[in-house]
Structures are given as C-alpha cells and as structure tokens.
Amino acid sequence: MLESQLPLLVVMLALGTAAKVFTVATKGEPGGLSRLGPAVLVPERVQAPALLVCAAGELTLAAGLLLTTHPLFRWGTVAFFALSTYVLLELRRRRPDAGCGCFGEVSSAPVGLRSVARTVVLTGMAAVSVWAPVPGWAAAISPSWLLAAGAAVLLLLSPEIEELIDRVRYRAPCEQRRGPAESVTLSRLRSSGTWRAHRGELTSAEPYDTWRELCWRFFAFRGHDGDDVVFAVYLAGRRPAVRMAVVGAQEDSGSLPEYTPVSA
C-alpha cells in the first residue's frame, strides 16, 4: 500500500513539467512570467531559465519514481514538495498578487490556502512512498482505492480546475475577459475577512477611486490618519482573493500601481 500514491506523484510532476515548458515556449504576454513562481523570486532576465530548470528537476524526479526504487528520487521528491510549500508561503507573504506557477500560466491566480494545502498533501504522499517496494509503473498497473482517494483530494485542492473551466467557457485568460460589474466586485470586497479587519480604518465605506489592472480591481479609500487604503480584489473564482495596502499620505500618486481607469 505504500506505493499507492506513486502514480499520482509521477503524473503531477509530469504535468508540472509540460505546463512550465509550454508557458516558456509560448512566452505569453510581456511580463507574464513575472507573476508566476518561482520566476517571481528571480531577476527578469533569468525567469524563463528558472522555470525550465524547475521543469527539468520535476521531469527527472518523475522518471526516477516511475522507473526505479532508488531512494535518491524518493527523498528528492519529498524535498521538492516540501520546498514548494515554503516557496508558496513566501509568495503569499512577499508577492500576494503572484500565482504559484505550479502548472504554468494556468496557475496565475494568487496563491491561496488550497495551493499550499496541495503541496503539503503531496509532501505527505511522497514521504509515505519513500519505502515503497516497487517502482511507479508497477503501482500504476495494480491501482488501489487509495489512489482514487488521493486523486480526489488533489482535484479538490487544485484551483487550476476552475481556471481551465473558465478558459473553456470564455476562451480567454482572466486579464482579457470582461470582469464582473464594479458593484459586484465591491460587494465581494465587503464580504471578505480583509475588509472586516480594516473597515474601522476608513473614513467612508465608499471608495473615492477604482480601477482595473489585469485581473485585479482596485478600490481606494481615505484612512482616518490621512493615508490611502487600497484594496485589490481578484476578478476570477467564486471566492476571489482580496489584498490590502496602505499608501502613506506623504507619498505621491506614483506610489499607487500605474493604471488606466476603465468601466466594469
């Protein structure tokens, strides 16, 4: 039973490899890689190579799990997913607007708890599989119910499924689609925990300015201390991410993200 999750690990690593290579090969929009981890954490000139190095590592681990029982690949997979968990937590702290990049540009949504939980689960699966007596191919031809259970958990923890469904429905990435009405986005903001945590800092519940930047809508409010309090609401997903930043009154308007006001 220890080997039951090996096929899932191989599939996840292979999918990650293919998606990252495709993202780099198609290049996407200018600056697109700067919103994907691990490219977020390196200078722009090496963002594409960083994704390709990550893809090469995933492919090597996938091949090793599939064909051998060597502990180097087993423990390497544990280390890879454990490190991925750390990177995602760092992205949530340092770049809350960035996606995990786990599956290329499909993983462009801001890192949420589901993505972090998924890497934690994968780390656990990899750790359990370290002592499996057979390689991945042998486990794949004799699947158990634990394999189906693991697959269900990973699907539940994968926000990319929703993004893929949206792309099939709308045939365009989030930043190119017409977003929900401004009033709808504002309602989502006011129902969020971020809003409730900072509502007391605002002089009014109505924003004095709003604009859209790619897949985010920003709402600017005046704070009691004279600072600007800016909320950002992600425009995709049933439970969109909400971020907040305070811009000091002594800073000029250039401190806010550059934008062109648009109607929702």
Side-chain angles (χ1 to χ4, degrees):
M1 301 296 280
L2 294 176
E3 69 273 13
S4 61
Q5 303 307 313
L6 279 174
L8 280 179
L9 295 171
V10 172
V11 169
M12 294 294 286
L13 290 167
L15 287 176
T17 298
K20 290 180 179 67
V21 171
F22 179 79
T23 297
V24 173
T26 55
K27 296 183 179 179
E29 65 178 84
L33 294 182
S34 65
R35 299 195 304 276
L36 301 176
V40 169
L41 304 177
V42 298
E44 183 176 355
R45 67 180 182 277
V46 294
Q47 286 174 349
L51 280 181
L52 292 177
V53 168
C54 184
E58 288 178 283
L59 182 61
T60 300
L61 291 173
L65 293 181
L66 182 67
L67 301 174
T68 77
T69 60
H70 199 289
L72 174 65
F73 298 107
R74 303 283 176 85
W75 284 111
T77 303
V78 175
F80 174 80
F81 285 120
L83 180 61
S84 297
T85 303
Y86 170 76
V87 170
L88 293 189
L89 291 172
E90 280 295 292
L91 284 176
R92 277 178 59 86
R93 183 178 67 86
R94 294 169 52 184
R95 283 289 305 274
D97 61 311
C100 75
C102 308
F103 299 99
E105 65 174 6
V106 179
S107 302
S108 59
V111 175
L113 293 179
R114 289 168 65 192
S115 296
V116 175
R118 181 177 60 193
T119 57
V120 171
V121 169
L122 287 168
T123 302
M125 289 180 174
V128 169
S129 302
V130 166
W131 294 277
V134 299
W137 67 265
I141 61 177
S142 301
S144 70
W145 66 270
L146 287 174
L147 177 62
V153 170
L154 292 179
L155 287 173
L156 183 65
L157 296 176
S158 296
E160 292 84 1
I161 301 299
E162 296 170 9
E163 176 64 19
L164 287 172
I165 292 174
D166 284 344
R167 292 193 179 201
V168 170
R169 291 174 60 193
Y170 300 107
R171 301 186 182 280
C174 174
E175 57 268 22
Q176 297 176 13
R177 296 197 297 265
R178 183 179 179 85
E182 182 181 315
S183 59
V184 173
T185 309
L186 186 57
S187 296
R188 291 176 177 174
L189 168 62
R190 289 171 175 164
S191 65
S192 69
T194 304
W195 170 266
R196 291 190 294 272
H198 298 280
R199 171 63 183 91
E201 302 172 17
L202 311 179
T203 59
S204 171
E206 297 299 323
Y208 75 83
D209 195 9
T210 179
W211 65 93
R212 176 172 174 170
E213 182 95 9
L214 297 175
C215 206
W216 294 86
R217 177 163 287 281
F218 293 84
F219 296 94
F221 299 81
R222 298 295 186 192
H224 287 299
D225 56 2
D227 291 339
D228 290 323
V229 181
V230 181
F231 293 89
V233 183
Y234 199 67
L235 296 177
R238 290 173 295 179
R239 297 180 179 178
V242 177
R243 305 291 187 243
M244 187 279 291
V246 176
V247 180
Q250 72 277 12
E251 301 177 23
D252 59 25
S253 60
S255 300
L256 293 174
E258 295 182 0
Y259 69 96
T260 300
V262 297
S263 58

